[in-house]
Amino acid sequence: MKDRLIEPGTSYVETAALGCPVEQSSIVFSAGTTAGANSRAKALKSTRQLAEQLTSCTQIFLAVLREIFDESAYARFLNQRQWVSSRAAYAAFRQECDAAKARRPRCC
Amino acid sequence: MPKTLRILIWLAVALLGALALATVALHRGEQINAMWLVVAAICTYALGYRFYSKFIAAKVLTLDALRATPAERLENGRDFVPTNKWVVFGHHFAAIAGPGPLVGPVLAAQFGYLPGTLWILAGAVFGGCVQDFVILLFSVRRDGKSLTEMAREEIGRLGGLIAYVAVISIIVILLAVCALVVVNALKASPWGTFTIAMTIPIALLMGVYLRTLRPGKVLETSALGFMLVMLAIWGGQWVSQTASVARWFTFSGPALAILIIAYGFAASALPVWLLLAPRDYLSTFVKLGTISLLALGIVALRPTLHMPALTRFIDGSGPVFAGNVFPFAFITIACGAISGFHSLISSGTTPKLIRRETEARMVGYGAMLAESMVAIMAMIAACVLQPGIYFAINSPAGIVGQAPEAAAATISNWGFPITAAEMHSLAQSVGEQTLYNRTGGAPAFAVGMAHIFSNSLGGQALMAIWYHFAIMFEALFILTVLDAGTRVGRFMVQDALGHIWKPLGRTSWYPSILATSALIVAAWGYFLWQGVKDPLGGINSLWPLFGIANQLLATVALCVATTIVIKMGKAHYAAVTMGPLVWLVAVTFTASWHKIFDPNPRIGFLSHAAQLAFGASANARLIFNDRLDAVVTGALIVMVGLILIESAVEWLRVLSGRKQARVKESPFVATRFAEEQG
């Protein structure tokens, strides 16, 4: 899969979090540059890499929180029914998930 | 990375870990820095994860990256959802991290920091993480089946029944112990009681806010709830300093026990959205923040451990709880090393979220390592205290006496100097009238945590605020376990009674809700009352019972795991699960034997009952309690014996060829995530 995506003159940069699919945007061009431009490109690449990694970590952290706090479950619930968030929708969601939540033990 | 460099890095980690462990283990008579414990733990966990868990994944379980998980095959957007492994890791960790790894190590610190630390590290790497990992994977391969169902299918009907009874027993004893820890932390403490009392209206407010004003905005609501709790802590100081208000929040142990029992009943009967769910969110919010803060505080302060590596109490004469270091250190620390309760989570929600089989290693093994690290932090928080202070807080009045001077003199005579003036000054600095006889572990942990926090941020001026923050954190945590546990217990009782008379099994029928709630609350309420009335502080008898019940569940989980490993045709690797199983059986049998038959009345229930019966003021209720505890312990150990026998028979049948080695896994389906990394 990886090999099929790589064009000549490009290389892969592992920007996504571990275990996440590597995105198209993480392919950078490295061929056909002068030495000065190369070092600037390298600096730019590492800055962009760092920024992408930070964004990825923040997104994962927020996703963890949203999952722990049932916000993702609520989003899936709305998505499945093609509803928008409202009191009635949330009440329906709670009714559905409370039975499962109440049966879930909290560990010691 | 080149292979040679990788080898060199892992060699360096191993050497650093060995150096740290040697420093922790071999220093005698000098104080060491807490960072040695942190370094020893991190290196041990890194090596355990990199090598041992990889070995289990590759050789024993043969994780299959091409096999679809139930989250993918049965995806319904509700229970079965393929989820990013980091998200599942966070979710799983939040579910397994409870008050156990905070309280157990604090109590076990009476032996010194060494026995508990070594058990936490070895127990987690070779026991707890293995149990969580294999049970998670086996549940994933069985469409997310529960431990009870797997025990019934793989071992037999008796295995399933014992797993069910073990779960009920552990819930009842756990709730009693947790409630007792809260009672001991809050008695005669208007500040703490006010703060905790305020969390009830705050949770109700959150429930209403979430349902009517901002539907679905849980993180925002939890942050708001957290700010209100901080306000309640600040308000608690005013309450404690205003005599006319303080008396409304000053309760004795029995009065607090009654209040908590009433609360448990109400929480079980109220709608989930109103109290249980918002409290759960608030508790998780505070838990994740505080644990991170504690880790940062320890690294920033790098405190010195004042507790010696080993104390004189390894001989069994400890004031916090009686009994030798073996087996009682291993019963006292359950959750930070190996906890049977985790097998319920590993075979509950988590297997339904795992996207790829290979991710079970990080989630199952990795999250338990994180939990174990929390236990190490709790051990550090207890051991940064001067030992005299630690023993003054944790020793019951029945051992050291009621009067401050007498208690200080007794503890000083043990070789841990402390004066009544020092204790008085410490109590004042944390905004309490006294810190003597605050058994249960929570207050000692709170003082240690406040010490770390105040020395990292705010200085002595904030000591009282940090102490009450820590008490609030623990009590909130524990009350959440109490709410949820009572309700789970209620459902289990309803499920069982539904077989006898159908309407009793209907979870929406109010007479059934009230009757079963009363039944489960009465069960843990009885043990709580017994603990409150116990002159030895209750923890002495109840915590070992909890440890035995928890390890019984771990025994069931490891029996299931070993049976499946043997049926997979991997008998030559069965030692991976059988090793911790043999250790747990040795520990639980020895501990139970001591708790029932030990001639020392401080350890043995029966000898204590006999001593009371022959005493001048025979107390029939205490005698009955001792005998009841002996019967409960005996029943737990009989169950361990039965599940072992049934499992061993199954193993022998398979190994001798009398029974075909066939596991009951879901059929193989190729995953669509096969081309992803990882």
Coordinates of all heavy atoms in Angstrom, one line a residue, chain B residues 250-260 529 532:
Chain B
T250 N -20.1 18.4 61.8 CA -19.2 17.6 62.6 C -19.9 16.3 63.0 O -20.9 16.4 63.8 CB -18.7 18.4 63.8 OG1 -18.2 19.7 63.3 CG2 -17.6 17.7 64.6
F251 N -19.4 15.2 62.5 CA -20.1 13.9 62.8 C -19.2 12.9 63.4 O -18.0 12.9 63.1 CB -20.7 13.4 61.5 CG -21.8 14.2 60.9 CD1 -21.6 15.0 59.8 CD2 -23.1 14.3 61.4 CE1 -22.5 15.8 59.2 CE2 -24.1 15.0 60.9 CZ -23.8 15.8 59.8
S252 N -19.8 12.0 64.1 CA -19.0 10.9 64.7 C -19.0 9.8 63.6 O -19.7 9.9 62.6 CB -19.7 10.3 65.9 OG -21.0 9.8 65.5
G253 N -18.2 8.7 63.8 CA -18.1 7.6 62.8 C -19.5 7.0 62.5 O -19.9 6.9 61.4
P254 N -20.2 6.6 63.6 CA -21.5 5.9 63.4 C -22.5 6.8 62.6 O -23.2 6.4 61.7 CB -22.0 5.6 64.8 CG -20.7 5.5 65.6 CD -19.8 6.5 65.0
A255 N -22.5 8.1 63.0 CA -23.4 9.1 62.3 C -23.1 9.1 60.8 O -24.0 9.1 59.9 CB -23.3 10.4 62.9
L256 N -21.8 9.2 60.5 CA -21.4 9.3 59.1 C -21.7 8.0 58.3 O -22.2 8.0 57.2 CB -19.9 9.5 59.0 CG -19.4 11.0 59.1 CD1 -17.9 11.0 59.3 CD2 -19.8 11.8 57.9
A257 N -21.6 6.9 59.1 CA -21.9 5.6 58.5 C -23.4 5.6 58.1 O -23.7 5.1 57.0 CB -21.6 4.4 59.4
I258 N -24.3 6.0 59.0 CA -25.7 6.1 58.7 C -26.0 7.0 57.4 O -26.7 6.6 56.5 CB -26.5 6.5 59.9 CG1 -26.4 5.5 61.0 CG2 -28.0 6.8 59.5 CD1 -26.9 5.9 62.3
L259 N -25.3 8.1 57.4 CA -25.5 9.0 56.3 C -25.1 8.4 55.0 O -25.8 8.5 53.9 CB -24.7 10.3 56.5 CG -25.3 11.3 57.6 CD1 -24.3 12.4 57.8 CD2 -26.7 11.8 57.1
I260 N -23.9 7.7 55.0 CA -23.4 7.1 53.8 C -24.3 5.9 53.3 O -24.6 5.8 52.1 CB -22.0 6.6 53.9 CG1 -21.1 7.9 54.0 CG2 -21.5 5.7 52.8 CD1 -19.6 7.6 54.2
W529 N -20.9 -1.0 59.2 CA -21.3 -0.7 60.6 C -20.3 -1.5 61.6 O -19.8 -1.0 62.6 CB -22.7 -1.1 60.9 CG -23.3 -0.7 62.2 CD1 -23.5 -1.5 63.3 CD2 -23.6 0.6 62.6 NE1 -24.0 -0.7 64.3 CE2 -24.0 0.6 63.9 CE3 -23.5 1.9 62.0 CZ2 -24.4 1.7 64.6 CZ3 -23.9 3.0 62.7 CH2 -24.3 2.9 64.0
V532 N -17.0 0.3 61.7 CA -17.1 1.6 62.4 C -17.1 1.3 63.9 O -16.5 2.0 64.7 CB -18.4 2.4 62.1 CG1 -18.6 3.5 63.0 CG2 -18.2 2.9 60.6

